[in-house]
Amino acid sequence: MQATNSFDLANSVTTARDYIQSEFAGLIDQAVVLGSGLSDLALKNYSSVIEFDYADIPGLPESTAPSHQGKLKIVSNGEQTLALCAGRHHLYEGYSAQQVCALTYLLNALGANTLIITNAAGSLNPEYNPGDVMLIEDHINFTGHNPVRGQDQTFGIEFPDMSQAYDNKLAETMLSIADSESVSLHKGIYIGVMGPSLETSAERRMFRTFGADAVGMSTVLEVIAANHSDMRVLGLSAITNSALGDENQQPDTIEEVLAHASIAGEQIKRLLENYFG
Ligand code: HPA
């Protein structure tokens, strides 16, 4: 892991982009970041072009989280080229906001104009069950970090707008796919926290009063970076545990989170397969 105060984002992204382009000459159309339980996503009509371990991409921090592979796969159906990214960097691993977002800026530098972001999240909404899927309508960045802080304007403007951080058209498309696939897709607000400790029950009750429906330890910074670099964003959360913080709150275990991530993950895979066709 690199010391956070010596990370040069622009230089890292250029180094990583140049390395990938030395092995793969084309451009990427869309990118998908695969959270826990989804890393083995294989799209029917797409074949593999090339794949990279994050560890082999100079400039990119290594992913250290369990259940995250750290692989960037480029796949194509002859018309569309996608980057499927299994694994991401998290604040809770000790990375800075800019290190967390190096992958996002890299995907944009490789040509991606759309970012589909998935994650595992606890439900703050009593109507959600573990194993469900939520379309992220908007987010609350409760991490206390921001990847744009301290940047020059290499990647985008100084005060990027976030009033429409998740693309409406992409959301509508995904909702109609869910309808036709009979996947019940909640629509809700994701609140991003730093972790790695889970929230206290009082914190969860507070987040519910904020209007948040799901809580997780990723996504919000990447979505800020994606908007900063003018990408369209679609977000899907795998609901992995009940995080209501009420009198019935059970202790959270990583086993439960991973088991439900894979149940919700199956539905997210169906949605994505249909979306990419
Ligand atoms: N809180 C934070 N992050 C999470 C949770 C949670 O309850 N579940 C999965 N990721």
Side-chain angles (χ1 to χ4, degrees), residues 20 24 26-34 41-52 71-86 107 110-116 271-277:
I20 289 183
F24 164 73
L27 283 177
I28 287 164
D29 298 301
Q30 305 193 52
V32 189
V33 175
L34 301 162
L41 176 76
L43 296 167
K44 273 196 295 269
N45 300 318
Y46 287 75
S47 45
S48 172
V49 177
I50 189 166
E51 64 178 68
F52 303 90
K71 267 198 196 331
L72 190 160
K73 303 180 193 178
I74 297 178
V75 300
S76 178
N77 68 352
E79 275 173 24
Q80 278 230 72
T81 303
L82 313 176
L84 305 180
C85 301
L107 294 167
L110 291 169
N113 56 23
T114 301
L115 182 69
I116 297 185
L271 296 176
L272 294 182
E273 280 197 343
N274 201 297
Y275 171 84
F276 287 115

Side-chain angles (χ1 to χ4, degrees), residues 128-180:
Y128 297 2
N129 291 309
D132 287 357
V133 183
M134 183 187 89
L135 175 83
I136 306 176
E137 282 190 301
D138 206 345
H139 77 220
I140 297 170
N141 176 8
F142 204 77
T143 66
H145 292 261
N146 195 303
V148 186
R149 176 172 175 258
Q151 283 195 38
D152 59 19
Q153 295 188 30
T154 305
F155 294 113
I157 60 175
E158 192 179 4
F159 298 106
D161 177 58
M162 290 293 144
S163 61
Q164 192 63 254
Y166 296 79
D167 188 86
N168 269 335
K169 282 224 170 69
L170 291 176
E172 275 167 28
T173 303
M174 199 42 89
L175 286 164
S176 78
I177 290 173
D179 208 32
S180 65

